[in-house]
Amino acid sequence: MRLDIIDDAIVYMTDLLQGNADGHDAGHILRVYHNAMEIAAEYPDCDKELIGLSALLHDADDHKLFHTENNENARRFLSSHGIEKQTADRICKIINSVSFSENKDRRPDTLEGEIVQDADRLDAIGAVGIARTFLYSGGHSLGMDDSIRHFHEKLLLLKDLMNTEKAKELAQERHEFMLTFLKQLHMETGR
Ligand code: NI
């Protein structure tokens, strides 16, 4: 894995996501990258550079944040770093298979895609998932009830949607923590 490209991708994404305080920020990108590397370590045959770059660039063209087409932001980075079109296509395919809302029941068709999807979903649950939910709600003028609904409609489902065994294992503790949080919240608020 070429660490200089990984470092550059971190800088590129930090720049691109500057000013985003709703949970899609540089912190999210870095956590997804680290989750992906932790899962990838369990699979000696997977392509770690492909996974690393896909994880770091996965929100480069998120339609909630950017109005780009054909993964323009991700491709600009990749071509400026001499990544061949064929590899860039593979990375963009992985990126496009990550989104929850656009791929509800569809599983990525490569191990690399499965790992990046799991890594992104892990960052949506647990303590960090709770924090990001309320950050997002605050940024979009949503209230407490909307936030709680989000747990039931999406976050509590993610544990069973993990692709890899390693991610299933990592998801378990995070899932239980969300249940504890919701139970306590219910006790305190009746919601
Ligand atoms: Ni993401």
Side-chain angles (χ1 to χ4, degrees):
M1 187 149 95
R2 290 166 290 177
L3 288 174
D4 51 331
I5 297 189
I6 296 294
D7 283 345
D8 283 358
I10 293 171
V11 173
Y12 181 73
M13 289 306 293
T14 305
D15 255 25
L16 207 58
L17 296 174
Q18 195 113 58
N20 250 302
D22 73 351
H24 287 95
D25 52 15
H28 166 62
I29 297 302
L30 280 174
R31 289 190 303 269
V32 172
Y33 171 70
H34 289 298
N35 290 343
M37 289 298 118
E38 186 175 354
I39 302 168
E42 303 285 315
Y43 302 89
D45 294 335
C46 67
D47 185 333
K48 297 202 172 53
E49 187 167 295
L50 202 72
I51 292 170
L53 285 174
S54 305
L56 289 171
L57 295 170
H58 85 273
D59 276 336
D61 296 277
D62 187 305
H63 65 93
K64 292 188 289 301
L65 309 172
F66 305 105
H67 299 286
T68 49
E69 274 182 41
N70 193 26
N71 301 89
E72 193 185 316
N73 287 337
R75 285 183 190 280
R76 185 184 319 120
F77 175 83
L78 294 167
S79 67
S80 73
H81 283 74
I83 305 277
E84 302 164 22
K85 171 149 189 324
Q86 204 191 358
T87 307
D89 286 345
R90 287 176 70 201
I91 290 170
C92 291
K93 195 170 170 209
I94 292 175
I95 291 173
N96 297 338
S97 73
V98 167
S99 153
F100 178 80
S101 54
E102 287 162 42
N103 298 283
K104 275 206 172 65
D105 307 312
R106 242 176 303 147
R107 217 180 146 121
D109 54 11
T110 58
L111 174 61
E112 286 78 9
E114 290 185 342
I115 290 175
V116 178
Q117 187 178 65
D118 283 354
D120 190 43
R121 289 175 172 182
L122 278 173
D123 201 54
I125 61 175
V128 74
I130 296 170
R132 288 181 68 211
T133 299
F134 287 99
L135 275 174
Y136 180 89
S137 293
H140 292 79
S141 308
L142 298 169
M144 184 89 100
D145 287 345
D146 295 302
S147 310
I148 296 170
R149 193 174 317 120
H150 185 63
F151 283 91
H152 294 285
E153 285 175 355
K154 175 179 171 185
L155 305 189
L156 294 175
L157 312 179
L158 291 177
K159 169 180 75 74
D160 294 325
L161 292 172
M162 295 295 164
N163 304 300
T164 63
E165 286 308 311
K166 180 64 182 175
K168 281 182 194 154
E169 199 185 302
L170 293 170
Q172 191 59 40
E173 189 182 8
R174 293 177 184 226
H175 182 80
E176 279 159 24
F177 187 77
M178 290 193 297
L179 292 179
T180 305
F181 170 78
L182 288 170
K183 202 170 136 203
Q184 181 74 23
L185 192 67
H186 178 71
M187 246 168 60
E188 294 175 15
T189 67
R191 299 281 185 193

